[in-house]
Amino acid sequence: MRVPDKWTGSLCWCCRNAYDGCTWSRSGVPVEGWEALPSEQPPQTKGGAPLRSFLVLRCPAFALDGRFREEYGRFLRRIGRDAQR
């Protein structure tokens, strides 16, 4: 697995459970059994605090949202992985 120095995207962005379909999207609780790396995004407002999050690489709750097949392929190439089963 490769983790880009500066990444954009996460497995969640291609998942149909991304909106209220898992513990992470519902309440900010990491999904049990996921493979994720802590990350920090730039502040959303001037003078604001950085947003702490995760770069999710694998997740048992993942279900591909068909609208994002191309983005999913790009994400997998960035991290050097095959499609999640």
Side-chain angles (χ1 to χ4, degrees), residues 5-78:
D5 291 336
K6 183 172 183 172
W7 65 274
T8 57
S10 179
L11 184 62
C12 298
W13 295 9
C14 306
C15 181
R16 68 175 175 239
N17 292 321
Y19 300 96
D20 290 335
C22 72
T23 58
W24 179 245
S25 63
R26 280 193 307 270
S27 56
V29 175
V31 175
E32 188 173 330
W34 77 1
E35 182 181 344
L37 301 171
S39 69
E40 193 172 279
Q41 297 294 311
Q44 301 299 305
T45 58
K46 187 174 182 178
L51 174 66
R52 294 175 196 265
S53 188
F54 290 91
L55 166 56
V56 179
L57 303 168
R58 284 200 187 273
C59 179
F62 178 74
L64 179 61
D65 183 326
R67 297 172 295 171
F68 300 106
R69 286 186 195 284
E70 288 183 32
E71 175 59 30
Y72 181 54
R74 286 191 295 271
F75 173 77
L76 293 174
R77 285 190 295 279
R78 280 196 304 270

